[in-house]
Amino acid sequence: MKPLSEQCSEHQKKSAGEMQSEETRTAPGNGVTVSTDPTRENPAQQNGVVSSHDVISPVSQTRTEPQPPSSAPAPPAQPPRDQWGGKYEFLLSCIGYCVGLGNVWRFPYLCYRNGGGVFLIPYFIMLFFTGMPLFLMELSLGQYGAAGPITVWKCCPLLKGIGIGMLCVSILVCLYYNVIIAWTFYYLGSSFQSPLPWSCDALHNIPLCRNKTNVTQSPSEVFWNEKVLGVVYSKGLHDPGPVRWPLALCLLAAWVVIFLCMLKGIRSSGKVVYVTATFPYFVLLVLIIRGATLEGSLNGVAFYLTPNWAHLANAQVWNDAASQIFYSLGIGVGGLLSMASYNKFDNNVIRDTLIITIGNCGTSFFAGFAIFSILGHMAWRKGVPVGQVADSGPGLAFVAYPEALALLPGSVFWSILFFLMLFMLGVDTLFGNMEGICTAVMDEFPQLRSNLKHKTLFLALLCFAFYLMGLLLITDGGIYWFTLIDSFSTSFGLIIITLFMCIGISFFYGVNQFCQDIVDMICHCPPWCTKLLFYFKACWVVFTPFLLTFILTYIFIEMYRTSLHYGTYVYPTWGKALGVCMGAFCCLQILIWAIVAVSKESGTLRDRFQKSIRPLNSWRVNNINTTTQDQHVEPQRVDGPFTVNLTEADFTSMNWEAISEA
């Protein structure tokens, strides 16, 4: 690979849309020769070849006549694509998307369960060899193609199913993720009561707290299981029971908030993230400072970070590290790809990748101090080891931590602050997932983007459909369905999707071409970008596929050996099979749409395959001369005896030269 500065200078000498170096091209079946003149200022693109407007027609050997202007009307212009208001909007949106609930309620638990500080070793190895390369791949693909997770696969039509699979995963994630925000709304509203309804100071909890000899559940567990979930009234997955209407109102409010924030696309959500992406950091800092002043907090921090080197030999530790990287960075869901598609073409994706991924992992580590310092105080107050009060997932966010906050002076204030933080974390992540769905649909149906009324109606129907489907998850047995979707929506199906994305870009599209595309976008990047590209290239070709295969193998082994359970409830075989079908449906889209792409081509099977992995003619079209907006002309297709893509200038001032055939 040449130095980046040399590649940029060479690239600037060539036309941005040029894919072949031909002097002439003969249109099939017409005997018409299209001449390419590099001195022309506004070349028209013909099937991927940049050519001038000169057309030599063999009408006569002795006489040439000027051709009349075409009477064909100009095709309707494509609606303009929005762009971020500034680079900080994109960075904050990605940070808000990545820094979610998993950083607060999952990473600290995994850290202490898998050897404390030792867990950071496999965690950062997985970050540098799987998370960061795949993150850069998604950002680069979306930014270069200026398209969502489905349309962007014009670069390799055989892999269009990857985009469909991403869309399916994103739908499943949105379906259950907003239920978490509904729970947060419920707790936020309950936090305005004094005393807190899950504390021992509440009148209805006094008998429970005084009876310390025969206590099976704490007040916070009773509030969570009976008042919020109603899970005690359900027998299992087969018995969902009635909808819990207080939660239904909270879920409706959550979807109304998402609808209003996304009404104008990135122009509205890009402004919201200035608050939602920064507020959680303020709350975490306040909680760390408050936790450091509490008795027993150092015991909690020591429990969080004390290393146990024997855990490094356990494959479960490495699998947990990889799953946390995928869970927190949001890889393979389509949100990153969609948000990057609204970037300017020359945005430095390598710099953004380093900032976002390292910032996300640093936030996870930072959040652990806020969690375990207060849990350490709770363990000290109860006189029990920290391990007995530590939990993961909803159990940490809605049982253990609220109970710890209830023990603090001014518990109402701290509870409001904590659940506001959870709300901001959840909303930001849902923005990214919803943006992936909306961008994918609007790229396939561009008229939705140009008509605000139609776009608003589509977004309203989408949010309402999610609300109706989400009602199943807020019934008495809804937590069983929630756990099922949560366990399988981002399991083996997501790993298979990212594995095929990595292999497809590296070996079908071409890793050298992909690296060149990145160079084309970041010509003004410092020299260290070139060195990093060598590293990322090695990851895409060797290390990342190998580690993804290892993770996938381990997931299948564990899925076969272990049963799915929530608390003491063990899922039936048909329930686990349903979850496997959900994951399989997402990744089977790759095979289905690959068959469709091959069947559309002609020739032998080998020819069909080779044609289906070639980029379409419209690939890279949106990025011609994007560094200067006034030079950018969107090509249009005109149906004629042979296919010619004409620019807008050809329709407004078309003057054909009379040229004699030599």
Side-chain angles (χ1 to χ4, degrees):
M1 182 179 292
K2 297 181 180 180
L4 193 59
S5 57
E6 295 183 16
Q7 296 184 43
C8 290
S9 60
E10 291 180 7
H11 173 69
Q12 291 169 353
K13 295 177 183 178
K14 300 185 293 181
S15 171
E18 186 175 3
M19 297 178 63
Q20 302 178 25
S21 56
E22 298 181 2
E23 293 299 326
T24 60
R25 181 183 179 95
T26 303
N30 294 282
V32 180
T33 303
V34 182
S35 172
T36 59
D37 183 2
T39 61
R40 293 279 181 176
E41 293 181 357
N42 295 313
Q45 188 183 35
Q46 300 185 8
N47 298 331
V49 180
V50 179
S51 60
S52 72
H53 303 297
D54 299 333
V55 177
I56 305 175
S57 178
V59 176
S60 173
Q61 294 285 344
T62 58
R63 182 173 61 90
T64 58
E65 297 179 359
Q67 299 293 328
S70 172
S71 60
Q78 293 291 328
R81 189 178 186 85
D82 291 335
Q83 284 190 340
W84 295 104
K87 63 180 180 180
Y88 295 112
E89 288 187 12
F90 171 69
L91 279 176
L92 287 175
S93 295
C94 284
I95 290 174
Y97 170 69
C98 296
V99 178
L101 297 170
N103 299 73
V104 175
W105 75 17
R106 195 166 185 265
F107 176 83
Y109 173 81
L110 291 178
C111 195
Y112 100 80
R113 192 185 76 176
N114 293 302
V118 172
F119 180 71
L120 297 177
I121 297 176
Y123 181 73
F124 280 103
I125 288 176
M126 288 297 177
L127 169 66
F128 290 126
F129 289 100
T130 59
M132 201 175 285
L134 291 173
F135 195 94
L136 176 62
M137 178 173 284
E138 276 206 53
L139 288 192
S140 303
L141 196 60
Q143 180 173 308
Y144 192 84
I150 298 178
T151 310
V152 78
W153 291 103
K154 295 183 293 184
C155 66
C156 184
L158 183 74
L159 301 178
K160 183 179 180 180
I162 293 177
I164 306 292
M166 288 180 173
L167 187 63
C168 294
V169 173
S170 190
I171 289 173
L172 290 174
V173 171
C174 288
L175 179 61
Y176 79 84
Y177 210 88
N178 216 16
V179 174
I180 303 175
I181 300 178
W183 295 338
T184 304
F185 265 138
Y186 190 90
Y187 269 85
L188 185 60
S190 302
S191 298
F192 285 92
Q193 304 177 37
S194 182
L196 294 173
W198 55 83
S199 69
C200 285
D201 296 331
L203 293 177
H204 57 274
N205 290 330
I206 292 178
L208 184 63
C209 294
R210 285 180 178 176
N211 184 14
K212 297 182 179 180
T213 58
N214 191 23
V215 176
T216 57
Q217 287 187 324
S218 65
S220 60
E221 289 175 309
V222 172
F223 183 82
W224 169 245
N225 291 322
E226 296 184 12
K227 300 294 183 181
V228 181
L229 298 180
V231 67
V232 295
Y233 308 112
S234 173
K235 297 178 182 179
L237 199 64
H238 63 284
D239 180 29
V243 172
R244 302 188 65 80
W245 292 109
L247 279 182
L249 293 177
C250 293
L251 183 63
L252 180 62
W255 278 116
V256 169
V257 170
I258 296 298
F259 169 76
L260 293 177
C261 292
M262 296 195 62
L263 189 57
K264 294 184 179 180
I266 61 171
R267 287 180 295 172
S268 55
S269 64
K271 302 298 185 293
V272 174
V273 293
Y274 280 105
V275 177
T276 58
T278 55
F279 181 76
Y281 286 95
F282 167 75
V283 176
L284 285 175
L285 181 61
V286 171
L287 290 176
I288 287 177
I289 295 174
R290 182 67 183 98
T293 64
L294 298 174
E295 189 73 27
S297 60
L298 291 180
N299 294 333
V301 173
F303 183 81
Y304 170 47
L305 294 178
T306 300
N308 187 344
W309 297 98
H311 282 75
L312 283 179
N314 189 351
Q316 176 67 43
V317 176
W318 295 84
N319 180 71
D320 284 346
S323 64
Q324 176 60 21
I325 289 294
F326 273 82
Y327 191 88
S328 62
L329 291 180
I331 299 170
V333 186
L336 292 172
L337 205 151
S338 298
M339 288 190 290
S341 69
Y342 298 106
N343 271 337
K344 294 181 179 179
F345 181 69
D346 58 352
N347 179 65
N348 191 332
V349 287
I350 295 182
R351 177 201 59 204
D352 291 350
T353 296
L354 297 177
I355 293 174
I356 297 167
T357 55
I358 295 176
N360 170 74
C361 296
T363 303
S364 298
F365 184 69
F366 184 64
F369 291 95
I371 299 298
F372 276 93
S373 61
I374 293 182
L375 289 183
H377 174 69
M378 176 182 174
W380 175 80
R381 288 281 296 266
K382 289 188 170 186
V384 298
V386 181
Q388 290 188 17
V389 300
D391 204 348
S392 176
L396 173 65
F398 299 108
V399 178
Y401 208 74
E403 184 178 353
L405 294 175
L407 300 175
L408 302 180
S411 57
V412 171
F413 170 76
W414 296 112
S415 182
I416 292 173
L417 206 61
F418 175 71
F419 287 110
L420 268 178
M421 179 189 71
L422 290 188
F423 169 72
M424 300 290 185
L425 290 172
V427 164
D428 275 344
T429 301
L430 201 58
F431 280 163
N433 289 319
M434 286 292 291
E435 191 61 58
I437 298 173
C438 294
T439 301
V441 174
M442 286 189 288
D443 281 349
E444 295 296 308
F445 304 97
Q447 61 271 21
L448 291 175
R449 183 174 282 117
S450 59
N451 191 314
L452 181 60
K453 181 179 178 181
H454 292 169
K455 179 182 177 181
T456 303
L457 182 61
F458 163 72
L459 185 60
L461 290 176
L462 181 64
C463 292
F464 186 65
F466 274 126
Y467 171 72
L468 292 180
M469 291 187 291
L471 290 177
L472 174 65
L473 307 184
I474 54 173
T475 57
D476 288 343
I479 188 63
Y480 298 125
W481 288 94
F482 174 91
T483 305
L484 181 70
I485 298 175
D486 181 31
S487 300
F488 286 98
S489 61
T490 55
S491 181
F492 67 91
L494 182 63
I495 302 297
I496 291 175
I497 288 172
T498 53
L499 176 61
F500 273 87
M501 178 180 72
C502 185
I503 293 175
I505 293 296
S506 299
F507 299 101
F508 292 168
Y509 181 73
V511 68
N512 291 327
Q513 179 61 56
F514 189 65
C515 290
Q516 182 60 48
D517 293 344
I518 297 176
V519 168
D520 293 345
M521 290 189 291
I522 54 172
C523 286
H524 302 291
C525 181
W528 53 265
C529 288
T530 306
K531 299 178 181 178
L532 276 180
L533 272 181
F534 281 114
Y535 157 72
F536 285 121
K537 183 177 179 181
C539 288
W540 290 327
V541 174
V542 181
F543 299 117
T544 304
F546 172 78
L547 289 174
L548 289 178
T549 305
F550 160 75
I551 298 167
L552 189 62
T553 304
Y554 188 85
I555 288 176
F556 281 131
I557 294 174
E558 284 296 302
M559 191 167 57
Y560 177 77
R561 293 193 310 178
T562 61
S563 59
L564 180 65
H565 60 87
Y566 174 78
T568 58
Y569 174 76
V570 179
Y571 280 73
T573 304
W574 67 267
K576 189 174 180 180
L578 182 61
V580 172
C581 289
M582 281 191 294
F585 177 79
C586 296
C587 58
L588 278 177
Q589 302 300 319
I590 302 174
L591 176 63
I592 294 172
W593 290 94
I595 294 174
V596 172
V598 171
S599 63
K600 286 182 178 180
E601 304 296 340
S602 59
T604 64
L605 184 61
R606 180 189 179 93
D607 293 337
R608 289 168 180 253
F609 177 79
Q610 290 179 343
K611 291 177 182 177
S612 63
I613 64 175
R614 294 174 184 168
L616 297 180
N617 297 331
S618 54
W619 176 243
R620 300 191 181 92
V621 160
N622 290 332
N623 299 318
I624 300 176
N625 296 328
T626 49
T627 54
T628 53
Q629 292 292 332
D630 55 336
Q631 294 179 3
H632 171 65
V633 181
E634 186 77 23
Q636 303 291 345
R637 183 174 292 276
V638 180
D639 294 330
F642 55 92
T643 303
V644 179
N645 292 337
L646 301 177
T647 63
E648 185 180 352
D650 294 309
F651 295 109
T652 56
S653 58
M654 186 180 294
N655 297 318
W656 300 94
E657 300 179 7
I659 304 175
S660 299
E661 185 176 13

